[in-house]
Amino acid sequence: MKCLFSRTKSQKKGSAMRIQKLTLTALLVAMCFIGANIKIMGSIAFDAAPALVGTLLLGPVYGTALGFFGHMVSALLAGFPFSLPVHIVTAVMMAITMLAYGMTRNWAKNKLNGKVAIILSCIIAFLFNCPISLLAVYPWLKEGVIGLAPVLAIASVCNIIAAEIIFAALPAKWKQKLAKK
């Protein structure tokens, strides 16, 4: 008689990988929280770097959740300085940024070489995180986006560079294991 709770080796391996991914996601969420406390101005902080690393390690879907959560925590800690609707739009744009970053990296890595993939995905991340995000909140902030642009540009570049350095420093064995899904 077969037990209802018995699993095959492949099922056990898949379950273990899901647990590892969820554990890593939890660690990255904690890092987003820590980064959200390192403020540059208002709700602009280092919350995006862990989300970018998570996007590269776990894929764009996990990255979108990390990006959304990271910005909402940062905005909450700052007291939602630009209003809740503006920060919801910004959090959605962070999620879209992570999606575009991850999809661009995966596509470019398969079609082009590794260095081009890094450069192209970083450019896409910057474009979505800075000018496109500012366009998305323009209806609420109007000319105020002009004052945010330089600070957000600097923060975006710093978050992207930090994420790329962290990702490059991680052991290849971890990256390959997580990439296998």
Side-chain angles (χ1 to χ4, degrees):
M1 184 168 155
K2 189 173 183 179
C3 178
L4 292 174
F5 299 106
S6 66
R7 299 182 306 186
T8 64
K9 284 186 180 182
S10 65
Q11 288 173 329
K12 288 179 184 177
K13 189 175 181 180
S15 178
M17 185 52 73
R18 279 194 299 274
I19 290 169
Q20 287 176 351
K21 283 189 171 191
L22 287 174
T23 303
L24 182 56
T25 302
L27 288 170
L28 289 165
V29 165
M31 290 172 64
C32 284
F33 184 82
I34 292 167
N37 282 293
I38 304 170
K39 301 287 187 200
I40 296 170
M41 181 182 99
S43 64
I44 300 172
F46 281 94
D47 57 315
L52 291 161
V53 172
T55 301
L56 296 175
L57 285 174
L58 301 168
V61 174
Y62 284 89
T64 58
L66 289 165
F68 184 89
F69 176 80
H71 179 75
M72 289 307 288
V73 167
S74 183
L76 177 68
L77 292 172
F80 294 106
F82 298 113
S83 78
L84 183 60
V86 167
H87 287 291
I88 289 173
V89 169
T90 304
V92 168
M93 287 306 302
M94 282 293 294
I96 292 170
T97 298
M98 299 307 144
L99 184 66
Y101 176 66
M103 291 177 71
T104 302
R105 177 67 69 92
N106 292 340
W107 174 84
K109 193 168 47 175
N110 292 329
K111 301 286 182 188
L112 308 167
N113 70 40
K115 289 182 182 176
V116 173
I118 292 170
I119 293 167
L120 188 60
S121 62
C122 288
I123 291 169
I124 292 295
F126 176 79
L127 291 174
F128 274 90
N129 198 34
C130 193
I132 295 173
S133 290
L134 288 174
L135 285 174
V137 297
Y138 182 81
W140 291 275
L141 299 180
K142 305 286 186 223
E143 290 79 22
V145 299
I146 295 169
L148 288 175
V151 177
L152 186 57
I154 291 168
S156 295
V157 169
C158 290
N159 273 292
I160 292 166
I161 290 171
E164 289 294 338
I165 290 170
I166 292 166
F167 185 72
L170 292 174
K173 165 173 98 172
W174 288 9
K175 297 174 199 174
Q176 292 166 353
K177 186 175 182 181
L178 288 167
K180 289 180 183 176
K181 299 180 182 181

